[in-house]
Amino acid sequence: MIAEIVTVGTEIVSGSILNTNATILSEKLLELGIEAYYHTSVDDDKLRLASVIDIALNRADLIITTGGLGPTKDDLTKEVIAELLDLELVLDSNMEEKISQMFLDMNKSMTENNRKQALKPKNSIFIENTIGTAPGIFININDKKIIMLPGPPSEMTLMFDNYVIPLIKEDFYVLTKSINTIGIGESTLETKLLDMNLSTRETNITTFAKMGTVEIKIIGKGKNRNKLKNEIDNITLKLSKELKQYIYGYDNISIEEVVLDMLKERKYILGLCESCTGGLIASKITRIPGASNVLDRSIITYSNQSKIDELNINASTLKKYSPVSKEISYEMAKGLLDKSNIDLAFSITGYAGPNTKETEEDVGLIYMCIMTKYKYKVIKCKFSGDRQSIQDKAAIKALNEIRMFLLKNH
Amino acid sequence: MIAEIVTVGTEIVSGSILNTNATILSEKLLELGIEAYYHTSVDDDKLRLASVIDIALNRADLIITTGGLGPTKDDLTKEVIAELLDLELVLDSNMEEKISQMFLDMNKSMTENNRKQALKPKNSIFIENTIGTAPGIFININDKKIIMLPGPPSEMTLMFDNYVIPLIKEDFYVLTKSINTIGIGESTLETKLLDMNLSTRETNITTFAKMGTVEIKIIGKGKNRNKLKNEIDNITLKLSKELKQYIYGYDNISIEEVVLDMLKERKYILGLCESCTGGLIASKITRIPGASNVLDRSIITYSNQSKIDELNINASTLKKYSPVSKEISYEMAKGLLDKSNIDLAFSITGYAGPNTKETEEDVGLIYMCIMTKYKYKVIKCKFSGDRQSIQDKAAIKALNEIRMFLLKNH
């Protein structure tokens, strides 16, 4: 089954919003063994939308659309698809009732344009939307399945998980395994993979570079689930041996999750002090449920005074060395470790730029320090790019350094 | 001129990475007066890539591709386009030299597969890539312009800005103006806009909802730049008056930038203490160049003990009230204000979930407190969604509350 995801909306093709829906849906389809070969986005123009749907009907067996089901005059997906398939739009009085009840519940009055959300193409089925006003629609016609979902990612994700999966699941398996690496370039990795020559008739290995890390993805397709799983496990094992030093996790686990799990396992309590990353590392860690079992506190000491107040750094030390120096990164970690009841202190200080006070040469220069009661390590690094990309790279590097420190000191 | 952006790569249609390139390019094209009506993504399959490019050549005048220019065997964009247009691929010895020099400079050895990056279709022009090994390519043929750029966002953005703009700029204007609102729903806003009836023959007004905010976008198209600008200014003025209470900025400035600017203007130094948002608010603020002039520190007190240590909160107060209460949000802000030399303290504490310790009902409950030496305000709110979306919504709300506090207390 070939799938195409059509995301509808001027906001997408005009660059106002990121197209997260296509990414989310592709990922979910792949888990069901369905590959999306095409993503198409088009603006809210009736003719162009119709031409895009027409092309999709010709090349895909499953078409999932998002967007264009809302109440406004720009919302045309349902109308265009009904017209292309020559299906009349009919008012569903149950749905009309439901939508008006929803507005009552929210203490809002239903505007006239919300009523058109109760229309559906003849012989189609509504897909329930429990957290929004626009229901989805399922059409099964001429061996094609068409699923229309609303645009808001939270709504369409919930609807996909709860109602769409049973409508499209099939008896053919695509299994995938991801191996996540850091510290090795994509082309070096590919050369290595080609040399190892591990692909089989039913499996394929590709690499994807992402923000300082490279994902190795093994994709297997076939009718025999167990055989496929064995082949993939076998390849994974060989790669894991060969690339051990670069692997930080599997199946796109984030480095912060790996670090959190390692800390939990060791019953270590973490404390952070961040300067140049300004809370980014803490924010990454606290994105994860259960972070409160591991992270005690994070002190973001942005001003020099705050470094003195919060981390007991000597004003003369600050003056003698620059605030971005191995000495200060050490002092920051030490100040944090001394004042709080934590097992592991991590500090980071650097120039994220752009700044006229520093010489251009220093932008991207960063010092980190990892410290326990028994030992410490200072890391010096230099990143290129703009302010945000320096912060992003530094945060990934920081988490990986903590991971490696924990590996060596367990 | 109709533009189509074709982003090539299995990593995109398989859902492994977000398609940020299409969004970035559309935004940049719009600034040049060029509208992208289509975004297409396709996997690294030769036949499907060729069919997608063929469709693009039929419906668009300008085609920009990203991806598929790298050294690996999956990189096929150049090959496919050359074949479709019947152009021979020729080795450019200058480029070959340049790439091998680049590898020398990085102290890496050039692998054989990097050599194919020096190939280009006959009569095409290389577009320089100063920060990566894959150059871009420009083809001007049969009244169509085709621009191929590499996949990494930082590379393709730099190349677009420096070299692509002069190749595609034209004598027709599209001017846009965005008005950014918060606190009003999209459908209510659209009804209001329809009632105001401000569109003209050359201008159009649309709305886009994004994470708790709604953007109003005025798009004008025409030959007379001044007339267009006047019309848009006129509409902007009327909307600004009518929607005053909801507008936090223009042209997609972020709330954090608005807050930073307001603090700078008032010469206020900010301190934060975050619990449930775990550094997200500090991280948003420190993303912006110049944050160090305004933000003194942020204390992320994740554990109860850290609240006691860092913010001098009484253990008995913590016990008497819950850590998520108006009393503790007040105490947190007060503790921060007392200990540091800042003008404005902001605290936030809440349940981001999911957590078994709290009753389900409390997940999403959040208290914030804004405090100066002279006054304070406690805000109670409740958000729905998963952990990350509660954190995101809380951070936006927090920044908007600081903004409104500053507006009232200048």
Side-chain angles (χ1 to χ4, degrees):
Chain A
M1 180 148 70
I2 293 174
E4 173 158 356
I5 297 163
V6 180
T7 44
V8 183
T10 303
E11 67 273 30
I12 299 169
V13 288
S14 71
S16 280
I17 62 163
L18 257 176
N19 186 1
T20 51
N21 283 355
T23 307
I24 296 169
L25 287 171
S26 277
E27 220 175 350
K28 287 182 178 291
L29 285 175
L30 204 57
E31 282 164 18
L32 298 174
I34 300 166
E35 284 180 288
Y37 286 145
Y38 308 96
H39 287 177
T40 308
S41 305
V42 64
D43 67 326
D44 297 307
D45 173 87
K46 206 174 173 182
L47 286 178
R48 284 189 288 268
L49 175 56
S51 80
V52 157
I53 298 285
D54 200 37
I55 290 170
L57 285 166
N58 277 307
R59 66 188 177 190
D61 312 302
L62 168 65
I63 297 158
I64 304 185
T65 70
T66 70
L69 296 182
T72 75
K73 66 179 162 42
D74 288 340
D75 293 306
L76 293 164
T77 306
K78 184 165 60 181
E79 290 74 3
V80 161
I81 291 180
E83 205 176 309
L84 268 178
L85 296 172
D86 211 9
L87 299 170
E88 193 189 341
L89 282 174
V90 288
L91 186 80
D92 185 296
S93 53
N94 283 339
M95 187 53 74
E96 193 186 10
E97 176 88 0
K98 214 168 182 172
I99 294 172
S100 85
Q101 187 58 46
M102 201 169 228
F103 274 89
L104 272 178
D105 291 347
M106 294 191 295
N107 252 327
K108 287 183 184 173
S109 62
M110 175 168 160
T111 53
E112 188 50 41
N113 47 15
N114 281 106
R115 198 172 311 272
K116 82 169 184 143
Q117 296 183 293
L119 291 172
K120 71 176 172 74
K122 217 172 173 175
N123 299 326
S124 70
I125 297 169
F126 270 130
I127 300 170
E128 200 177 339
N129 182 349
T130 51
I131 56 172
T133 59
I137 291 166
F138 172 57
I139 304 177
N140 196 344
I141 195 170
N142 311 333
D143 279 337
K144 305 270 178 188
K145 288 177 176 176
I146 300 147
I147 313 261
M148 296 175 235
L149 297 173
S154 56
E155 295 179 24
M156 76 94 203
T157 304
L158 198 69
M159 291 163 78
F160 187 92
D161 289 344
N162 290 345
Y163 307 111
V164 175
I165 290 175
L167 298 172
I168 58 176
K169 209 165 178 174
E170 57 174 24
D171 190 29
F172 178 87
Y173 298 98
V174 178
L175 298 184
T176 66
K177 182 84 193 170
S178 289
I179 304 178
N180 303 104
T181 69
I182 190 166
I184 181 169
E186 191 185 14
S187 57
T188 315
L189 192 56
E190 195 189 52
T191 307
K192 235 182 205 320
L193 291 173
L194 284 175
D195 287 349
M196 290 180 74
N197 191 24
L198 296 172
S199 295
T200 64
R201 205 176 53 86
E202 292 190 326
T203 60
N204 188 28
I205 306 172
T206 48
T207 56
F208 305 124
K210 292 183 205 182
M211 175 62 67
T213 67
V214 182
E215 176 192 355
I216 303 169
K217 193 158 199 165
I218 311 160
I219 303 179
K221 299 178 211 175
K223 291 259 174 200
N224 186 333
R225 199 178 190 286
N226 284 339
K227 179 170 166 280
L228 209 53
K229 193 171 175 310
N230 283 339
E231 277 187 17
I232 290 177
D233 286 349
N234 191 23
I235 296 172
T236 306
L237 197 69
K238 284 181 184 155
L239 287 174
S240 296
K241 260 189 203 161
E242 180 70 21
L243 300 168
K244 193 166 184 282
Q245 58 184 314
Y246 305 113
I247 296 172
Y248 67 85
Y250 295 87
D251 293 327
N252 293 322
I253 190 170
S254 63
I255 298 195
E256 50 267 32
E257 280 175 278
V258 173
V259 167
L260 204 70
D261 287 346
M262 289 172 86
L263 290 165
K264 251 187 224 163
E265 206 183 289
R266 288 160 175 76
K267 297 200 169 57
Y268 272 19
I269 298 295
L270 173 70
L272 303 171
C273 41
E274 299 183 53
S275 187
C276 56
T277 44
L280 184 61
I281 303 170
S283 170
K284 278 180 183 283
I285 290 175
T286 55
R287 282 299 205 183
I288 308 167
S292 54
N293 298 324
V294 167
L295 182 69
D296 177 69
R297 74 193 72 182
S298 174
I299 316 284
I300 299 163
T301 50
Y302 226 59
S303 66
N304 280 345
Q305 187 57 45
S306 67
K307 289 184 180 75
I308 298 168
D309 292 352
E310 300 290 347
L311 301 168
N312 202 22
I313 289 175
N314 215 299
S316 63
T317 318
L318 253 180
K319 217 172 165 180
K320 187 169 167 197
Y321 307 100
S322 133
V324 178
S325 62
K326 67 174 196 293
E327 289 79 8
I328 295 301
S329 73
Y330 172 90
E331 294 277 328
M332 285 170 72
K334 178 125 190 21
L336 182 64
L337 195 68
D338 286 349
K339 80 185 280 198
S340 48
N341 190 20
I342 58 176
D343 304 296
L344 192 81
F346 173 86
S347 71
I348 180 166
T349 179
Y351 297 115
N355 204 319
T356 47
K357 275 188 289 179
E358 298 100 34
T359 58
E360 205 187 318
E361 200 170 285
D362 277 345
V363 168
L365 177 68
I366 281 167
Y367 289 91
M368 309 174 183
C369 179
I370 309 175
M371 192 180 285
T372 66
K373 264 175 231 157
Y374 311 106
K375 54 164 50 183
Y376 73 92
K377 184 183 177 191
V378 172
I379 302 114
K380 178 185 178 177
C381 36
K382 183 88 162 59
F383 300 103
S384 59
D386 63 8
R387 182 178 177 87
Q388 300 196 359
S389 87
I390 289 173
Q391 290 176 328
D392 287 332
K393 288 174 194 167
I396 296 289
K397 170 91 175 164
L399 289 160
N400 194 44
E401 288 292 337
I402 298 175
R403 181 183 74 87
M404 291 193 303
F405 185 91
L406 290 171
L407 274 182
K408 274 185 202 146
N409 301 279
H410 49 89
Chain B
M1 180 150 72
I2 293 174
E4 173 156 356
I5 296 163
V6 180
T7 44
V8 184
T10 303
E11 67 274 29
I12 299 169
V13 289
S14 70
S16 280
I17 61 160
L18 257 175
N19 186 1
T20 50
N21 283 355
T23 307
I24 295 169
L25 287 171
S26 276
E27 220 174 349
K28 287 182 178 291
L29 286 176
L30 204 56
E31 281 163 20
L32 298 175
I34 300 165
E35 284 179 290
Y37 287 145
Y38 308 95
H39 286 179
T40 307
S41 304
V42 65
D43 66 326
D44 297 307
D45 173 87
K46 204 172 173 184
L47 286 179
R48 284 188 289 268
L49 175 57
S51 80
V52 157
I53 299 285
D54 199 37
I55 290 170
L57 284 167
N58 276 307
R59 67 188 176 190
D61 312 302
L62 169 65
I63 297 160
I64 303 184
T65 71
T66 71
L69 296 182
T72 78
K73 67 178 162 41
D74 288 340
D75 294 304
L76 294 164
T77 306
K78 185 165 59 181
E79 290 74 4
V80 161
I81 290 179
E83 204 176 311
L84 268 178
L85 296 173
D86 211 9
L87 299 171
E88 195 190 338
L89 280 175
V90 289
L91 186 80
D92 184 296
S93 54
N94 283 338
M95 187 54 73
E96 194 186 8
E97 175 88 359
K98 214 167 182 173
I99 293 173
S100 84
Q101 187 59 46
M102 202 168 226
F103 275 89
L104 272 179
D105 289 347
M106 294 191 296
N107 251 326
K108 288 181 182 171
S109 61
M110 175 169 162
T111 54
E112 188 50 40
N113 47 14
N114 281 105
R115 201 172 309 273
K116 83 168 184 144
Q117 296 183 293
L119 292 172
K120 71 176 172 74
K122 218 174 173 175
N123 298 326
S124 70
I125 298 169
F126 270 129
I127 300 170
E128 199 177 338
N129 183 351
T130 51
I131 57 172
T133 58
I137 290 166
F138 172 58
I139 303 177
N140 196 344
I141 196 170
N142 313 331
D143 278 338
K144 306 269 179 190
K145 288 178 177 174
I146 301 149
I147 313 260
M148 297 175 233
L149 297 173
S154 56
E155 294 178 26
M156 77 93 203
T157 304
L158 198 68
M159 291 162 78
F160 187 92
D161 289 345
N162 290 345
Y163 307 110
V164 176
I165 291 174
L167 298 172
I168 59 177
K169 210 163 177 172
E170 57 175 27
D171 190 29
F172 177 87
Y173 298 99
V174 178
L175 297 184
T176 65
K177 182 84 193 172
S178 289
I179 304 178
N180 303 104
T181 70
I182 188 165
I184 182 169
E186 191 185 13
S187 56
T188 314
L189 192 57
E190 194 189 52
T191 307
K192 233 183 210 313
L193 291 174
L194 285 175
D195 287 348
M196 288 179 75
N197 191 25
L198 295 174
S199 295
T200 63
R201 206 177 52 85
E202 293 190 324
T203 61
N204 187 28
I205 306 172
T206 48
T207 58
F208 305 125
K210 291 182 203 182
M211 176 60 68
T213 65
V214 182
E215 176 193 355
I216 303 169
K217 193 157 198 163
I218 311 161
I219 303 179
K221 298 178 212 173
K223 291 259 173 197
N224 185 332
R225 199 177 191 286
N226 284 339
K227 181 171 165 276
L228 210 55
K229 191 170 178 313
N230 282 339
E231 277 186 15
I232 289 177
D233 287 348
N234 191 21
I235 295 171
T236 305
L237 197 71
K238 284 180 182 152
L239 287 173
S240 297
K241 260 189 203 158
E242 180 70 20
L243 301 168
K244 193 165 184 283
Q245 58 184 313
Y246 305 113
I247 296 172
Y248 67 84
Y250 294 87
D251 295 326
N252 294 322
I253 189 169
S254 63
I255 298 195
E256 50 268 33
E257 280 174 277
V258 173
V259 167
L260 204 70
D261 287 345
M262 288 172 84
L263 289 165
K264 250 187 225 165
E265 204 183 290
R266 288 161 175 76
K267 298 199 168 60
Y268 273 20
I269 298 294
L270 175 70
L272 302 170
C273 40
E274 300 184 52
S275 186
C276 56
T277 44
L280 184 60
I281 302 171
S283 171
K284 276 177 184 284
I285 289 175
T286 55
R287 283 298 206 183
I288 308 167
S292 54
N293 298 324
V294 167
L295 183 69
D296 178 70
R297 72 193 74 182
S298 174
I299 316 285
I300 299 162
T301 50
Y302 226 59
S303 66
N304 280 345
Q305 187 57 44
S306 68
K307 289 185 181 73
I308 297 169
D309 292 352
E310 300 289 347
L311 301 168
N312 202 22
I313 289 175
N314 215 300
S316 63
T317 318
L318 252 180
K319 212 170 171 182
K320 186 169 168 198
Y321 307 99
S322 134
V324 178
S325 62
K326 67 174 194 291
E327 288 79 8
I328 295 302
S329 73
Y330 172 89
E331 294 276 329
M332 285 169 73
K334 181 126 187 21
L336 181 65
L337 195 67
D338 285 350
K339 79 184 283 198
S340 49
N341 191 19
I342 58 175
D343 305 296
L344 193 80
F346 174 87
S347 71
I348 181 165
T349 178
Y351 297 116
N355 203 318
T356 47
K357 275 188 288 180
E358 298 100 33
T359 59
E360 202 186 322
E361 202 171 284
D362 276 344
V363 169
L365 177 68
I366 283 168
Y367 289 90
M368 308 175 185
C369 179
I370 309 174
M371 192 178 288
T372 66
K373 264 174 228 155
Y374 312 106
K375 56 164 49 182
Y376 73 92
K377 185 184 176 189
V378 172
I379 303 115
K380 178 184 179 178
C381 37
K382 184 89 164 56
F383 299 103
S384 58
D386 64 8
R387 181 178 177 87
Q388 300 197 359
S389 88
I390 289 173
Q391 289 176 329
D392 287 333
K393 288 174 194 168
I396 296 288
K397 169 91 174 162
L399 290 161
N400 194 44
E401 288 291 337
I402 297 175
R403 182 184 73 88
M404 292 196 300
F405 186 90
L406 290 171
L407 273 183
K408 275 187 201 145
N409 301 279
H410 49 88

